[in-house]
Amino acid sequence: MSKHVLTTTFWWSFVFSLAINVAFTDATPIPSTLDGPFEPVTAPYDVSLRGSAVDLPDTDPRVRRRVKGFEPEQISVSLSVSYDSVWISWITGEFQIGNNIKPLNHNTVASLVRYGRSRFPLTHEATGYSLVYNQLYPFEGLQNYTSGIIHHVRLTGLEPNTRYYYRCGDPSISAMSGIYHFRTMPVSGPRSYPQRIAVVGDLGLTYNTTDTISHLRRNKPDLVLLVGDVTYANLYLTNGTGSDCYDCSFPQTPIHETYQPRWDYWGRFMQSLISKTPIMVVEGNHEIEKQAGNQSFVAYSSRFAFPSEESKSSSTFYYSFNAGGIHFIMLGAYVPYSKSAKQYKWLERDLADVDRSVTPWLVAVWHPPWYNSYKAHYKEAECMRVEMEELLYSYGVDIVFNGHVHAYERSNRVYNYTLDPCGPVHITVGDGGNREKMAIEHADEAGNCPEPSSTYDESMDGFCATNFTSGPAAGKFCWDHQPDFSAFRESSFGHGILEVKNETWALWTWYRNQDSTGKVGDQIYIVRQPDLCPGLITLPKGSFADI
């Protein structure tokens, strides 16, 4: 290694060490995973936090249609596999709901984006594809739905960490949007990262959701990860009547209805954020939305653009992408994941292709958590864990993000229910603010351990939840105290921010909605130890790994 490289490396090591020391001069030092494993902590529940778990009505100005004719709305940006490409998505034309709907012809409106590094002129142009989807019910009394025209255009040849301006639409019919902007991801490398990545789950569109997004926006993220359960449109009848528990209120309906306009309301509300900040989404159970013809996930797969083809996936349910020196793997919990399934085979190939000298951080995302100590959804994803955990562990996944449980929980490093310094940190952020109840009961509390048969979810391809065979809960289905894998848990709405500092240190911060924006609910440095753990590429001596 040259003298210049060594000098530069030690200089940056010194700078980061100084930053860590400054952080620890605060009255409350920020711990790191090197200090763990930690004794389990449960924050007391504030009964006032159920709050405004009421959906925004269709009369709210934030969800009303503001454009005319075929002008674009619900504009969003999502990433491709690397910094040099992004997707721009939008909708033109009005949705229809009723008994006599006539789908729009998607070929009548062009899918075009003009873009460039300067606002004027926009020197580049790209075209894409469009589609219309329908939600149909062959039963009397249920209203059918047809979407507006959904457009997806991929921009290529982009420079890293660069602001681009764009407008989208069809200039031939004078239906172009205003000018928006986004910033590309930094180039992949061990010292190159987006500054802040927001992680949020189980959003819906309630007044709690608006608080979550307001707090999230103030943190100015460079990327948003949405870990499933987007709109909760399936909690509505097709006439717009809602219910916190659909199956409880409407047990005799011939098919589980879903009110698709909630997707349009959500897209309008979110546009001000995701038209400039890329959003990457993975499906949750509320996106299943079964309908006539044995179709499911139609809205999810139609409305978002996914880098599936670019990441060599044949599905919108699982894909991967890079954001600087982080390789993200988005997995599907509600499609086959067994070792013989296409998803598992794809995951094996994707992990084998990861170069940890270029993308040191490996982050996995899916909806239902494997490590969950709440009564809600306890051990529901056990089959998925049994099939996939060993593979993820063998490749040294650093962090796992989940939702589904409507609360916050951060684990110690864990593998196969055993504390392990090489296991990932599992973080559940299903606390975005949807209309369903907050999870407040813990499976380890007296009387809260669910019956094993009740943990079965037919949409998760099996039942694997059994009693523990070893460890502190041997012979039992639940622990009788907060499990040692659970480092911190709290029932509050909020969101998280991940700030990767270099190839071995990352700061994770969780913010509660009820707090001021400057106050944190949970914070920890997650530290990789590539020299200690198998399956990881060892970094050169003198690098940040030695901090």
Side-chain angles (χ1 to χ4, degrees):
M1 185 179 292
S2 70
K3 181 178 179 181
H4 172 74
V5 172
L6 282 171
T7 301
T8 302
T9 299
F10 287 135
W11 166 251
W12 283 110
S13 297
F14 168 75
V15 169
F16 189 67
S17 297
L18 180 62
I20 292 292
N21 289 333
V22 169
F24 273 81
T25 61
D26 191 88
T28 304
I30 301 174
S32 81
T33 52
L34 298 178
D35 304 316
F38 300 95
E39 290 295 317
V41 172
T42 300
Y45 174 60
D46 184 343
V47 294
S48 68
L49 295 182
R50 178 66 174 140
S52 302
V54 176
D55 277 317
L56 271 64
D58 58 10
T59 56
D60 191 292
R62 291 169 289 186
V63 305
R64 299 293 292 170
R65 190 170 189 262
R66 300 180 183 179
V67 299
K68 298 179 180 179
F70 288 96
E71 294 175 356
E73 65 161 350
Q74 303 180 50
I75 301 168
S76 65
V77 182
S78 54
L79 302 180
S80 185
V81 292
S82 61
Y83 69 84
D84 59 353
S85 178
V86 305
W87 286 91
I88 306 296
S89 303
W90 69 95
I91 294 180
T92 56
E94 296 189 57
F95 69 80
Q96 303 164 57
I97 187 165
N99 297 318
N100 298 300
I101 61 172
K102 183 179 180 181
L104 297 170
N105 182 352
H106 68 94
N107 292 317
T108 60
V109 182
S111 306
L112 182 142
V113 176
R114 290 176 175 160
Y115 63 101
R117 295 172 64 174
S118 300
R119 183 181 292 267
F120 300 106
L122 298 174
T123 54
H124 301 284
E125 189 171 287
T127 58
Y129 68 95
S130 62
L131 62 115
V132 170
Y133 79 88
N134 307 308
Q135 187 83 287
L136 304 176
Y137 301 96
F139 304 106
E140 185 177 350
L142 305 189
Q143 297 188 93
N144 294 325
Y145 171 92
T146 184
S147 72
I149 302 172
I150 302 169
H151 305 261
H152 300 298
V153 175
R154 185 183 174 199
L155 314 186
T156 59
L158 307 178
E159 296 295 320
N161 200 27
T162 301
R163 174 177 283 198
Y164 282 87
Y165 297 89
Y166 73 96
R167 59 189 312 198
C168 56
D170 185 347
S172 69
I173 57 174
S174 300
M176 292 292 285
S177 72
I179 297 178
Y180 296 86
H181 63 82
F182 63 87
R183 180 170 291 276
T184 54
M185 291 294 104
V187 66
S188 292
R191 298 185 183 93
S192 179
Y193 300 94
Q195 291 186 8
R196 285 174 294 277
I197 299 170
V199 188
V200 65
D202 301 71
L203 266 180
L205 190 55
T206 70
Y207 291 100
N208 282 323
T209 308
T210 64
D211 288 343
T212 299
I213 296 302
S214 177
H215 280 69
L216 184 154
R217 289 179 61 131
R218 292 191 191 110
N219 278 316
K220 298 180 179 179
D222 302 290
L223 172 65
V224 176
L225 294 180
L226 177 48
V227 298
D229 283 1
V230 182
T231 69
Y232 290 80
N234 69 333
L235 291 185
Y236 285 83
L237 295 173
T238 61
N239 65 9
T241 302
S243 171
D244 284 343
C245 176
Y246 183 101
D247 294 320
C248 305
S249 300
F250 315 111
Q252 303 303 318
T253 52
I255 192 170
H256 194 142
E257 303 174 43
T258 175
Y259 188 63
Q260 290 297 290
R262 298 301 304 183
W263 281 96
D264 296 284
Y265 303 158
W266 189 90
R268 293 165 185 164
F269 173 77
M270 292 291 288
Q271 177 179 299
S272 61
L273 171 64
I274 61 179
S275 60
K276 64 180 180 180
T277 304
I279 183 169
M280 303 303 285
V281 185
V282 72
E283 74 279 6
N285 56 298
H286 284 275
E287 279 71 73
I288 297 174
E289 295 187 312
K290 292 181 180 179
Q291 59 169 299
N294 200 32
Q295 295 186 82
S296 58
F297 295 105
V298 177
Y300 163 84
S301 295
S302 300
R303 291 176 179 266
F304 296 107
F306 305 93
S308 301
E309 183 177 350
E310 302 101 276
S311 61
K312 303 177 182 177
S313 167
S314 60
S315 172
T316 59
F317 305 126
Y318 49 91
Y319 60 92
S320 64
F321 65 95
N322 291 338
I326 313 168
H327 185 71
F328 285 97
I329 299 171
M330 314 292 275
L331 298 177
Y334 302 100
V335 293
Y337 46 69
S338 68
K339 291 179 175 62
S340 61
K342 289 182 179 179
Q343 178 174 202
Y344 191 94
K345 299 299 184 185
W346 169 85
L347 178 59
E348 286 182 310
R349 293 192 298 269
D350 190 83
L351 288 169
D353 287 342
V354 176
D355 185 346
R356 301 298 282 270
S357 68
V358 176
T359 52
W361 287 87
L362 190 51
V363 177
V365 181
W366 63 87
H367 186 57
W370 294 347
Y371 290 94
N372 162 40
S373 64
Y374 288 85
K375 180 180 180 180
H377 307 300
Y378 181 72
K379 287 193 178 183
E380 185 177 283
E382 189 70 359
C383 284
M384 186 183 182
R385 185 193 69 81
V386 169
E387 291 291 330
M388 287 186 156
E389 185 175 29
E390 183 179 3
L391 179 61
L392 296 179
Y393 176 79
S394 68
Y395 276 93
V397 168
D398 300 297
I399 307 172
V400 172
F401 289 116
N402 306 118
H404 202 42
V405 178
H406 300 161
Y408 174 75
E409 186 164 22
R410 170 177 54 82
S411 80
N412 285 305
R413 290 193 176 277
V414 62
Y415 168 65
N416 196 24
Y417 288 106
T418 303
L419 298 183
D420 188 321
C422 297
V425 174
H426 291 252
I427 298 174
T428 298
V429 283
D431 55 350
N434 66 80
R435 65 173 295 154
E436 293 184 319
K437 294 180 179 179
M438 182 180 291
I440 59 175
E441 297 179 332
H442 305 111
D444 48 89
E445 294 169 336
N448 282 347
C449 184
E451 286 294 320
S453 60
S454 71
T455 65
Y456 174 70
D457 186 335
E458 64 179 12
S459 60
M460 288 209 63
D461 194 33
F463 178 77
C464 302
T466 58
N467 287 355
F468 292 101
T469 57
S470 61
K476 303 174 184 177
F477 191 67
C478 300
W479 299 57
D480 57 10
H481 58 277
Q482 185 173 354
D484 59 7
F485 67 75
S486 175
F488 179 79
R489 62 189 183 188
E490 180 173 343
S491 298
S492 295
F493 292 123
H495 75 283
I497 296 288
L498 179 67
E499 301 171 76
V500 177
K501 305 299 184 180
N502 57 45
E503 58 260 55
T504 51
W505 287 75
L507 179 63
W508 167 255
T509 308
W510 174 64
Y511 295 90
R512 306 182 188 93
N513 280 6
Q514 69 266 30
D515 294 332
S516 64
T517 55
K519 185 178 178 182
V520 303
D522 183 39
Q523 193 169 54
I524 190 169
Y525 280 104
I526 299 173
V527 185
R528 298 179 59 247
Q529 296 178 274
D531 289 329
L532 171 66
C533 301
L536 304 184
I537 294 176
T538 302
L539 296 167
K541 294 296 181 182
S543 72
F544 289 108
D546 298 317
I547 295 176

